[in-house]
Structures are given as C-alpha cells and as structure tokens.
Amino acid sequence: MKKILSAAAAVTATALMTVPAFAGALDEPVVTPVPTAPPPAPVYTGGDWTGFYAGAQIGNLDVDGENGLAGVGGDDTTYGLHAGYNYDFGTWVVGGELDYDDASVDLSNGASVDSVWRAKLRGGYDFGRTLVYATAGFADLDTSVGSDTGEFYGVGVSYKATEQFIVSGEYLMHDFSDIGSAAGVDAEADTFTVRASWQF
C-alpha cells in the first residue's frame, strides 16, 4: 500500500510541476504593429530642357550713337515675345530662338527706335532647375530714319519654377552700322529683359 501511495504522490508531483510550463500557452501573444510613415511626395528637381518654348518679356533698351550719331542716345521700356527650341544633352543645352521687342525709344536728335528683331543661337550649362547660357546672333533694328541688321551677343540665366514654367533674365549688347544706309551712322544698344516662358 505504501508503494502505491508513493507512486501516486510522485505522479501528482510531476504533473503539478509541469503545469506552469503550459500556463498561458492557449493565448497567443499580442503584437503591436509598428506605424510606418507614408512615402514622401515626389519633388520636382528639373533638369530636362529639351522641347519647344514660347513666352513674353519686358525690359529696357539703351541706345548710344557713334560716329555720325555721336552724342545721340536714349532709353525706354520694351515689351516683346519669344519662341524657340532647346535640346538637352545631359550637361550642355543648345538651342535656337526668335524674339521681338517693341520699343518707343526717343533719341536726343529727334529720331526714334521702334523695334528690334533677333535670331539667336544659345548654348548653356544644365544645373538642373537652372540653365546658365550664352547667346549670339543677328538683330534687325528699325528706326524712324531707317533700319539696319547688326550682330549681338550676351548672357542669360533661366530657372524652372515648375516642369513647364520658366523665368529668365537676359542681357544683350548690340552693334549697328550705317543705319538707314547712311555711312557712319552707327549705334550700340544694350538690353536687359525679364522673361516668362512655357515649355511644351
């Protein structure tokens, strides 16, 4: 009898010792999900200048006579339009442009400058949103005493406010000779314009 009681006591003790090992085994542990931030909104970084563009500009035209027009000059506000095409090679950008400025510059000798047409070649460095460029070409100056085709050169900087909207500043120096076919009637002209363009 003692052996039976001892065996029963040993079985009971073993069973009681194993109960804590299974305590809570029926309940799965609760895992709190880790919150994740939403992906950042895409940010426009610019950098693709390839395509047609067109826009308008406002600026200032300053004319200084030379030789037969020495001492004659004047300046006034200009308003104009431009259109062109750029091709972006990745680092360098090249393109061509036509632009027109309407001017009402009264010169000190009673003559006036009415308008300027330009045919431009442009080349610049692509900084992403910003394009720094040089430009040169031919310009046609129309005045009250005649017209003349001369050359110009200058520099500019363009900034892409959005993928399509571009704001720019441009400075040009012009040289005209024999205005109105009159020998020695020469002039230099400087322009500074602020431009707004839409790239298609």
Side-chain angles (χ1 to χ4, degrees):
M1 186 66 176
K2 288 182 180 180
K3 290 181 180 180
I4 294 173
L5 290 174
S6 296
V11 171
T12 302
T14 303
L16 289 175
M17 288 190 319
T18 59
V19 169
F22 293 102
L26 297 177
D27 296 329
E28 293 293 331
V30 177
V31 178
T32 304
V34 179
T36 57
V43 178
Y44 174 67
T45 58
D48 186 6
W49 294 86
T50 297
F52 289 98
Y53 65 90
Q57 68 249 15
I58 183 172
N60 181 266
L61 171 64
D62 187 2
V63 180
D64 289 313
E66 296 182 327
N67 298 326
L69 285 180
V72 175
D75 68 278
D76 209 336
T77 303
T78 61
Y79 305 91
L81 300 171
H82 60 267
Y85 181 85
N86 287 323
Y87 189 85
D88 192 337
F89 289 93
T91 302
W92 299 99
V93 178
V94 297
E97 180 183 296
L98 294 174
D99 83 358
Y100 169 79
D101 279 332
D102 181 58
S104 297
V105 179
D106 293 324
L107 304 179
S108 52
N109 66 346
S112 64
V113 175
D114 301 321
S115 63
V116 184
W117 278 96
R118 300 178 192 88
K120 299 178 178 178
L121 290 177
R122 308 194 326 161
Y125 191 85
D126 180 356
F127 287 96
R129 282 180 179 263
T130 304
L131 174 66
V132 178
Y133 64 89
T135 183
F138 295 99
D140 183 76
L141 181 74
D142 187 27
T143 76
S144 60
V145 295
S147 62
D148 181 59
T149 300
E151 62 274 357
F152 71 88
Y153 57 91
V155 295
V157 58
S158 297
Y159 177 76
K160 279 196 164 190
T162 69
E163 187 175 358
Q164 293 178 297
F165 182 66
I166 304 168
V167 292
S168 308
E170 188 175 84
Y171 173 72
L172 303 175
M173 298 179 63
H174 307 71
D175 189 18
F176 299 101
S177 301
D178 303 334
I179 298 172
S181 300
V185 180
D186 307 333
E188 290 185 346
D190 298 338
T191 59
F192 177 76
T193 55
V194 176
R195 298 150 50 97
S197 311
W198 188 262
Q199 181 174 312
F200 300 97

